[in-house]
Amino acid sequence: MNVALVRGTTVQDHVALAEIELCGELIIAASAAGEERLSADRIDEVLNVSTDVERHLGEGRD
């Protein structure tokens, strides 16, 4: 039986890593939540999601 040797090459999928990080944030928020499920608003807050209207209103600030 021949076994292929794994060389020191590292492949990173940046999109997958970002998704894993977001899932981790949701897991942390869910474990800290007092309620049974996170509300849609809380999920948006954890994932730093805003609506198009909120983004548009925030464009003039800075």
Side-chain angles (χ1 to χ4, degrees):
M1 176 168 81
N2 291 330
V3 177
L5 296 176
V6 178
R7 305 213 184 233
T9 58
T10 302
V11 177
Q12 290 187 358
D13 183 339
H14 297 284
V15 173
L17 292 173
E19 289 177 359
I20 292 167
E21 184 176 340
L22 292 173
C23 286
E25 295 295 329
L26 283 174
I27 291 168
I28 292 167
S31 66
E35 61 272 5
E36 186 174 323
R37 294 183 177 191
L38 293 178
S39 68
D41 289 337
R42 179 65 180 132
I43 292 171
D44 288 348
E45 181 183 336
V46 169
L47 298 179
N48 198 24
V49 175
S50 61
T51 65
D52 289 336
V53 172
E54 290 172 332
R55 273 189 230 121
H56 179 71
L57 292 174
E59 285 177 2
R61 299 177 191 173
D62 287 341

